[in-house]
């Protein structure tokens, strides 16, 4: 599916609809949280770790969308990149549920899963993650992707207009960021529901066996 078709499938046709769809997509995280809490809130480290990842996802979602509304592409891209790393954590946990405790407040530093391992795993287990993450890293790091930061226009005679305040160059850039926010919310929400459900099942099985 090409970019135009992908956008249309999500109900995105212009800048306004992109922002609207990205805002609405936050419901996927609310739904996941509600299902998680309905599964039976406990102070179990595994459950709290999962809630912590949900909190991070929501924070990055809100922050990235706020940066888009404030016309700041670098803050938006950096927060969306952090958002994608949270999703990478969920992809890892879904595949390796026994590692959930490695993300809890009780985990030892030596047991933590490095961000490099998480993103590498996500690249090979989630279609499209590599392309998105690499593009976002180009914004987050001082690379050639930001080489024209602040340049607003270049006249035929070479006269260049520049400003220190960053802003999106085109509506298409805004749409691209919003599509990433929307897709990450959908993936994060879906993974959280699956992991919460499995956690409830395994906890019930453990309690029944005791």
């Amino acid at each position: 599916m090409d970019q135009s078709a992908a956008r249309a499938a999500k109900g995105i046709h212009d800048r306004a609809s992109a922002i609207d769809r990205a805002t609405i997509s936050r419901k996927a995280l609310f739904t996941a949280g509600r299902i998680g809490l309905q599964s039976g809130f406990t102070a179990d480290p595994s459950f709290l770790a999962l809630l912590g990842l949900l909190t991070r996802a929501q924070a990055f979602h809100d922050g990235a969308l706020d940066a888009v509304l404030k016309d700041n592409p670098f803050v938006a891209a950096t927060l969306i990149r952090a958002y994608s790393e949270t999703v990478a954590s969920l992809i890892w946990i879904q595949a390796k549920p026994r590692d959930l405790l490695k993300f809890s407040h009780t985990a030892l530093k030596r047991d933590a899963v490095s961000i490099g391992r998480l993103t590498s795993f996500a690249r090979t287990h989630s279609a499209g993650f590599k392309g998105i993450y690499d593009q976002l890293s180009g914004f987050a790091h001082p690379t050639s992707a930001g080489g024209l930061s602040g340049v607003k226009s270049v006249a035929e005679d070479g006269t260049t207009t520049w400003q220190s305040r960053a802003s999106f160059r085109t509506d298409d850039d805004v749409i691209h960021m919003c599509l990433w926010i929307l897709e990450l919310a959908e993936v994060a929400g879906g993974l959280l529901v699956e992991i919460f459900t499995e956690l409830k099942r395994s906890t019930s099985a453990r309690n029944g066996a005791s």
Side-chain angles (χ1 to χ4, degrees), residues 131-155:
I132 291 175
Y133 192 73
D134 288 349
Q135 289 182 66
L136 291 169
S137 294
F139 277 95
H141 298 149
T143 63
S144 58
L148 294 177
S149 301
V151 174
K152 305 304 294 180
S153 64
V154 179

Side-chain angles (χ1 to χ4, degrees), residues 36-167:
L37 293 174
Q38 288 174 346
S39 69
F41 179 85
T42 70
D44 179 82
S46 295
F47 192 74
L48 292 177
L50 203 50
L51 288 177
L53 289 170
L54 170 58
T55 297
R56 288 177 62 83
Q58 184 173 311
F60 292 135
H61 185 104
D62 293 347
L65 188 55
D66 185 61
V68 168
L69 293 172
K70 291 181 177 176
D71 202 24
N72 193 325
F74 289 99
V75 171
T78 302
L79 290 173
I80 295 171
R81 181 174 181 263
Y83 197 172
S84 72
E85 290 170 349
T86 300
V87 171
S89 300
L90 294 171
I91 292 171
W92 179 284
I93 293 167
Q94 183 198 39
K96 307 181 182 194
R98 292 184 179 179
D99 280 359
L100 178 53
L101 277 175
K102 293 182 179 181
F103 296 83
S104 81
H105 65 286
T106 62
L108 298 176
K109 188 174 182 179
R110 65 170 182 268
D111 294 329
V113 185
S114 70
I115 194 64
R117 290 180 67 195
L118 291 173
T119 55
S120 178
F121 187 83
R123 288 168 189 262
T124 58
H125 289 75
S126 178
F129 185 90
K130 181 180 186 301
I132 291 175
Y133 192 73
D134 288 349
Q135 289 182 66
L136 291 169
S137 294
F139 277 95
H141 298 149
T143 63
S144 58
L148 294 177
S149 301
V151 174
K152 305 304 294 180
S153 64
V154 179
E156 291 184 5
D157 63 359
T159 301
T160 301
T161 301
W162 174 89
Q163 67 178 31
S164 60
R165 182 183 181 280
S167 62

